[in-house]
Amino acid sequence: MQVRVKKPLTVDEYAKQGMEMLKYYESGPWPSHVTELKKTKYPIEAYAAGLAAGKTMWAAGSAKIRYVYTGFIARRTRDGKISELHFRVWQPSGYLYSTEKLRKLMDFADKYGLGLLEIAGQQGLMIISIRPEVADEAVDYLRNVVGTDIGATGDTIRELAACVGPALCEFALYDTLEARDRFMTHPKIYEWMSNQLFPFKFKAKFSGCPFDCTRAVHRADFGFIGVWVGAPEVDQELLRKKIEAGEVDPARLAANCPSGAITWDPEKKELKIDGTRCKKSMHCIRAAYPAIKPGKERKIAVVVGGHVKGRFGGKMGKPLAVVNSVEEAMDWVVKTVESWTEYMEKGVVKHKDRIGDFIMKVGFKKYVTEILGLKEEKKPTLHPSLRAGAVLDDEERTMWANWASKLVEEYFGRRP
């Protein structure tokens, strides 16, 4: 009988084997992240050891930075050989960087870290491995020279995500970039951004249209989504040209409207949309743009309490109101957060209850009437399928569903 001796989970024990594995990642014709990491001071041996062990070498660490309570992530290898301190940095609205800003950030990463930036992701820009002994000085440099700050970790305000909005997208119904800036610089929000004092994290997202590219409905405690009042605008002449060119099938357009708001008159060759039934699904607009466009009276729908992770599971945001600007909703945001904290002191809200959990506990009606002081219901008429995946139309959903069924049948046989 062969006895297997388990190796201690240390970097030294697995690094040699792991470095051999990394050669595979450098062998193809494509750009290699390993080759790029080797150009920096990144502790590649810890990464390699994790691959060989089949388990990450990293464990939670700790750090202390002067007057800073959020925005950094500390970790160390399980054997204590290597430690890291990553900075999360607030990004510009829409993640639109000027070359000047990027150069400053790269200089910062070279001066205080390993020269590595992680820009992707909704949790904020990450600057990898700041040297712990210069962390205090690095925060000052970030604020005074680069012109941003660290933040967005722990039980505090997380990165505020805005779609690219009018900068790049023809569907944007309000200026998401300006709205995020105004939200971020609201005196109360600005005060809270550097304090870790909430029952759990909270997020705000800004989507320019009901396509909801930032997933404000189900991944934000406060979501702001561009909508319009009534029916979309129809350019009948342009629509007829698209129909004659075979670009648009009007019968299918009407049949696919989720609320049945569209009717097509084949004799008059005219398409009508009932604005009272329109749920802003954007299906007809995407299929026939620019012959069909959003209406001119544009608003912002406010949804509250959405999240994926929470004590009682994921929730979609509840429609709260339709407003003309984000500023109109800021008083509600402040009241909600203050009540959320107050109810924790009363013992109603527990640690790790998201705002959606809090609203569920007190009841949505009480939340709206007693906490926010709203007497008039202004619920937006958002399509109920507004969520991740809603950008697929019915035909595409059917196609992918059939593809998945075919795979299941191929591997497990036809179901009775």
Side-chain angles (χ1 to χ4, degrees):
M1 177 178 167
Q2 186 178 5
V3 178
R4 294 184 62 184
V5 179
K6 197 172 182 179
K7 293 193 290 187
L9 200 61
T10 64
V11 173
D12 289 341
E13 288 292 334
Y14 287 94
K16 186 176 179 182
Q17 180 187 349
M19 292 303 286
E20 289 298 316
M21 296 172 70
L22 288 185
K23 291 179 181 176
Y24 173 77
Y25 294 131
E26 296 185 278
S27 60
W30 45 81
S32 168
H33 68 286
V34 173
T35 301
E36 296 304 312
L37 285 174
K38 283 182 176 178
K39 295 176 183 175
T40 71
K41 300 170 188 172
Y42 186 76
I44 194 79
E45 66 272 21
Y47 173 46
L51 286 177
K55 187 175 183 180
T56 180
M57 285 288 158
W58 295 103
S62 61
K64 188 175 181 180
I65 304 177
R66 183 189 56 188
Y67 306 132
V68 173
Y69 307 99
T70 178
F72 57 90
I73 299 170
R75 64 179 190 170
R76 57 173 176 76
T77 51
R78 297 174 190 276
D79 57 2
K81 183 179 180 182
I82 305 168
S83 61
E84 290 188 330
L85 180 61
H86 306 318
F87 273 17
R88 267 189 191 161
V89 176
W90 291 102
Q91 303 199 77
S93 293
Y95 316 120
L96 297 168
Y97 287 89
S98 66
T99 51
E100 180 188 7
K101 175 74 80 176
L102 275 176
R103 287 191 186 100
K104 286 182 178 178
L105 285 166
M106 288 189 291
D107 289 344
F108 175 84
D110 285 335
K111 184 178 176 70
Y112 295 103
L114 304 179
L116 280 174
L117 305 175
E118 180 195 328
I119 298 179
Q122 293 196 34
Q123 288 295 334
L125 167 70
M126 186 91 82
I127 300 177
I128 306 296
S129 281
I130 301 298
R131 300 194 308 279
E133 65 274 17
V134 295
D136 291 348
E137 180 187 328
V139 172
D140 292 341
Y141 187 94
L142 201 61
R143 291 171 174 168
N144 299 324
V145 179
V146 181
T148 184
D149 205 346
I150 68 170
T153 62
D155 298 339
T156 186
I157 301 175
R158 294 299 185 91
E159 177 64 275
L160 307 170
C163 71
V164 292
L168 289 173
C169 181
E170 66 271 30
F171 294 123
L173 300 176
Y174 75 102
D175 192 336
T176 52
L177 310 178
E178 182 195 28
R180 177 188 177 272
D181 287 346
R182 288 189 179 276
F183 185 98
M184 194 172 183
T185 53
H186 183 279
K188 207 66 184 175
I189 299 296
Y190 197 73
E191 174 191 330
W192 287 337
M193 284 175 73
S194 60
N195 292 283
Q196 193 167 333
L197 42 75
F198 303 121
F200 203 0
K201 61 188 173 185
F202 84 80
K203 301 179 179 180
K205 296 181 186 293
F206 306 82
S207 285
C209 76
F211 278 146
D212 192 18
C213 290
T214 66
R215 293 165 290 173
V217 170
H218 76 302
R219 299 206 65 169
D221 300 270
F222 302 101
F224 302 91
I225 302 163
V227 291
W228 66 92
V229 176
E233 282 189 356
V234 181
D235 183 334
Q236 299 289 351
E237 187 60 34
L238 183 56
L239 181 63
R240 278 192 282 272
K241 288 181 180 176
K242 280 183 167 288
I243 293 169
E244 289 169 5
E247 296 175 16
V248 175
D249 180 344
R252 176 177 287 186
L253 203 65
N256 287 341
C257 176
S259 60
I262 299 178
T263 53
W264 167 248
D265 187 334
E267 293 183 2
K268 295 182 180 177
K269 294 188 176 180
E270 190 172 280
L271 189 106
K272 292 183 179 179
I273 303 177
D274 183 350
T276 61
R277 300 174 66 183
C278 177
K279 297 294 184 185
K280 316 314 186 250
S281 71
M282 299 283 284
H283 180 274
C284 61
I285 293 173
R286 192 173 72 155
Y289 188 84
I292 304 179
K293 296 190 289 189
K296 286 183 178 175
E297 190 179 351
R298 293 165 182 194
K299 303 278 185 177
I300 301 171
V302 183
V303 294
V304 62
H307 57 76
V308 175
K309 292 181 180 178
R311 184 178 296 279
F312 302 106
K315 298 177 188 64
M316 289 178 68
K318 285 183 174 293
L320 179 63
V322 174
V323 296
N324 293 308
S325 68
V326 168
E327 285 93 328
E328 286 184 39
M330 289 311 298
D331 186 43
W332 303 335
V333 172
V334 172
K335 284 181 178 176
T336 301
V337 176
E338 288 180 341
S339 299
W340 180 39
T341 306
E342 180 186 330
Y343 273 73
M344 186 173 179
E345 293 170 0
K346 292 177 179 177
V348 176
V349 170
K350 305 295 183 186
H351 186 222
K352 299 301 180 186
D353 276 358
R354 292 287 290 267
I355 285 176
D357 297 322
F358 158 59
I359 293 173
M360 189 183 76
K361 284 184 174 181
V362 300
F364 190 68
K365 187 174 182 180
K366 180 179 178 180
Y367 163 70
V368 171
T369 57
E370 297 184 20
I371 294 175
L372 300 186
L374 292 176
K375 294 180 181 178
E376 183 184 359
E377 289 193 1
K378 301 177 182 176
K379 289 185 180 178
T381 56
L382 293 176
H383 187 265
S385 71
L386 197 60
R387 60 186 183 272
V391 291
L392 299 178
D393 61 28
D394 291 343
E395 190 175 328
E396 289 168 325
R397 287 197 192 92
T398 303
M399 180 188 75
W400 289 112
N402 292 339
W403 175 76
S405 298
K406 189 177 177 182
L407 280 182
V408 172
E409 186 179 323
E410 182 179 338
Y411 284 97
F412 301 105
R414 183 181 292 276
R415 293 183 175 178

